[in-house]
Amino acid sequence: MKKNMVSKVIVSLSALLALSACNGKQTAATASTNAAPTTAVTTTAAGASASTKSSSAKTTSTSTSSSGVSLSSVYDKMISDVKFPTEMLKMDDEYLEMQFGFNAADFDEYVYAQGEDTLLAETILLIKVKDSKNVNTVKESLENYLSDQTTLLNSYVPEQGKIAEKSVVGVKGNCVYLLMSSQVASLKKIAADMIK
């Protein structure tokens, strides 16, 4: 019961933090309900699409990094090689906008996943920014998000706050990433090896 109550508090506070990250502007995403989507679309590099259940949502894979590796491939490697304490669920464009204030149209590609257990500090966000002039803005937004999440987690789930404190925001070319996880060292190595 207590875990459920804390979970609801964290979800509510996360929504408030998302609003503050958007300078208080309410968007269509923040005005809608917080219910998870029941279906989503995955678009592949070939342009084919397929509907999936809520455990995976829209991930665009229309481009690759200069080394020819898509961010979806980087994420897949992370999921296959790293043992997470909870199932990782991909989030869609609406959640990307709600949590970070980002418009998916500004990115060539992104993968956003969070741990199914909302009490755990498990978030992966990999972004390839279309316009290199926006890389620093995206990086600063992710740093602010990480700082806010660290404060929030330290207040309600201190052991997870310590994990958030060790998390990283990184940049390689037009790729910006947030790795908040108990397995951050392994994730950081995969990102460093695969994102060129």
Side-chain angles (χ1 to χ4, degrees):
M1 173 101 176
K2 183 178 178 184
K3 184 176 180 180
N4 191 23
M5 174 80 89
V6 172
S7 178
K8 287 179 182 180
V9 168
I10 288 177
V11 169
S12 297
L13 289 173
S14 292
L16 287 173
L17 287 172
L19 277 175
S20 66
C22 299
N23 296 324
K25 295 177 189 170
Q26 189 170 18
T27 65
T30 57
S32 66
T33 64
N34 287 333
T38 56
T39 61
V41 177
T42 302
T43 306
T44 64
S49 63
S51 293
T52 59
K53 295 292 180 197
S54 62
S55 64
S56 72
K58 183 176 180 187
T59 304
T60 56
S61 300
T62 55
S63 67
T64 56
S65 65
S66 59
S67 66
V69 176
S70 73
L71 295 182
S72 292
S73 297
V74 175
Y75 175 75
D76 290 345
K77 176 83 169 157
M78 290 174 172
I79 292 301
S80 70
D81 289 9
V82 177
K83 179 156 176 47
F84 292 91
T86 185
E87 182 180 353
M88 297 299 288
L89 304 176
K90 287 185 180 177
M91 310 307 272
D92 65 7
D93 294 355
E94 185 176 336
Y95 281 90
L96 182 74
E97 185 173 352
M98 185 175 69
Q99 282 295 90
F100 302 97
F102 294 150
N103 182 346
D106 294 333
F107 307 138
D108 285 328
E109 179 185 11
Y110 80 93
V111 178
Y112 171 29
Q114 287 191 312
E116 183 176 40
D117 185 341
T118 59
L119 293 178
L120 300 179
E122 300 294 330
T123 300
I124 297 171
L125 180 55
L126 310 170
I127 299 171
K128 182 168 185 192
V129 181
K130 280 183 183 178
D131 188 343
S132 61
K133 292 182 280 186
N134 295 328
V135 168
N136 279 337
T137 302
V138 171
K139 179 181 178 257
E140 289 171 8
S141 293
L142 294 182
E143 289 170 339
N144 290 336
Y145 173 83
L146 181 56
S147 175
D148 291 344
Q149 286 297 107
T150 301
T151 300
L152 180 69
L153 288 166
N154 275 326
S155 296
Y156 292 97
V157 194
E159 65 277 6
Q160 296 301 309
K162 290 182 186 351
I163 291 169
E165 288 171 358
K166 296 176 184 175
S167 298
V168 297
V169 172
V171 175
K172 284 185 105 178
N174 276 17
C175 294
V176 184
Y177 56 87
L178 164 67
L179 305 172
M180 181 167 54
S181 175
S182 57
Q183 304 299 316
V184 71
S186 298
L187 297 176
K188 190 175 173 184
K189 181 175 181 352
I190 293 169
D193 291 346
M194 293 185 72
I195 300 172
K196 303 292 179 193

